[in-house]
Amino acid sequence: MSTSTLKMDNSYRRVSAMQNSATQHAVDTKILHNHIIEYINNNRDDFWSEDPFTIAEFGSADGSNSVGILHQVISTIRSQNPSKTIKIICNDLPMADFTSLFQNLDVLKQEFGNIFISAIGESFYSQVLPSNSVDMAFSFTSVQWAQKAPCFINSLLFTGNETDMLDPEAVAAWKKQGEQDWELFLRMRYAELKRHGFIYVSTIQFAESSTQGLIGDESTNREAMSAVVR
C-alpha cells in the first residue's frame, strides 16, 4: 500500500481565520503567564545570564496565529528582566510562507527590540533544534496534521468517530498513525527542551455537543513529558 506525505502551501492565511480565532480563545494568558514565571523562578541563574531566552514554535505557518501570544510571552519575560535577549525560532515545512512569517512577526522586533527571529523549514516529526536548547515551545492547531497518510479514507477530516462510515481497518490505521505521531512529536520536543522547559499545545478537540469549544490546550513540561516518552 502506498502512502503520501501531507503538505501545506502558502495559501494558509486565506483559509486560517477559524484556526486563528480558536487559538486566541484556547490559550489562557493568565495560566501561560504563571507557567513562564514559574519557569523563570526555577532557572534564575540561566535567566539572568547573557544567554538568550529561546522560544520555539512548531507549525508556525505565516505567524499570524501566534503573534498575539508571542507578544504576551515577551511582555511577561521583559517584566522580569527588561534587557533579556529573546530568540524566537519558527518551524514549519519547507514550502511554508516564511516571507509573510517574518513580515508578521516584525512588529515584535519593532516594539520590544533585542528580539532575534529565525525559521527552520523541516518536519516537526524530527528533532529540529539542538538538545537542551529551548526554554519554552508552542504548537498551535498543528499537531493534528499526520506525518503521512497510512491509507485512503473517504472523508475530509478523520476524528475517530466515523466508525459507522469507514472501514474498521482504515479507522484502526489512522488511530495508530495518530498515536505514533503524537509520541514522536513529544520525543523530539523532550530532547530539545531545557530542564523545567515546557511546551504549550493547542489542537482540535471534537466536543460531544455543538455548544462546546473545538480547541483544547495542554501545557506539558519536560519532566511530565518524560513519563510519556520513556
Side-chain angles (χ1 to χ4, degrees), residues 4-186:
S4 60
T5 300
L6 301 181
K7 299 180 180 180
M8 295 174 60
D9 60 26
N10 60 8
S11 65
Y12 175 81
R13 190 174 187 181
R14 296 199 300 271
V15 296
S16 66
M18 182 177 295
Q19 292 97 314
N20 193 327
S21 176
T23 297
Q24 309 314 313
H25 286 87
V27 178
D28 187 318
T29 55
K30 183 177 180 180
I31 292 176
L32 181 57
H33 171 87
N34 291 339
H35 279 142
I36 297 169
I37 297 300
E38 180 181 5
Y39 175 76
I40 290 172
N41 289 335
N42 286 329
N43 297 272
R44 297 202 69 82
D45 290 343
D46 187 40
F47 183 70
W48 287 98
S49 73
E50 295 183 358
D51 294 336
F53 189 100
T54 300
I55 302 168
E57 183 186 1
F58 298 95
S60 57
D62 68 357
S64 57
N65 289 349
S66 55
V67 62
I69 307 244
L70 287 170
H71 187 282
Q72 170 71 28
V73 170
I74 295 169
S75 296
T76 299
I77 294 169
R78 289 288 173 79
S79 73
Q80 303 300 301
N81 184 346
S83 62
K84 186 65 175 176
T85 300
I86 297 173
K87 179 167 60 175
I88 301 172
I89 305 172
C90 301
N91 160 254
D92 212 311
L93 294 174
M95 67 286 296
D97 188 1
F98 289 118
T99 298
S100 294
L101 169 74
F102 289 118
Q103 292 172 343
N104 289 331
L105 298 188
D106 188 64
V107 62
L108 301 174
K109 295 170 66 73
Q110 298 301 320
E111 178 172 349
F112 293 100
N114 203 20
I115 304 285
F116 298 86
I117 301 172
S118 60
I120 298 176
E122 186 176 347
S123 169
F124 56 47
Y125 290 117
S126 61
Q127 185 171 338
V128 176
L129 297 165
S131 298
N132 194 36
S133 67
V134 177
D135 293 286
M136 62 181 299
F138 297 97
S139 183
F140 300 121
T141 59
S142 295
V143 295
Q144 75 276 2
W145 289 94
Q147 181 179 193
K148 62 182 179 180
C151 62
F152 175 79
I153 56 172
N154 187 25
S155 175
L156 289 175
L157 182 64
F158 173 67
T159 69
N161 296 322
E162 303 93 337
T163 53
D164 57 336
M165 298 186 294
L166 301 175
D167 175 16
E169 291 186 2
V171 171
W174 276 88
K175 285 186 174 181
K176 182 178 180 180
Q177 184 67 49
E179 291 170 356
Q180 292 175 340
D181 286 352
W182 177 237
E183 180 177 343
L184 180 58
F185 179 86
L186 290 181

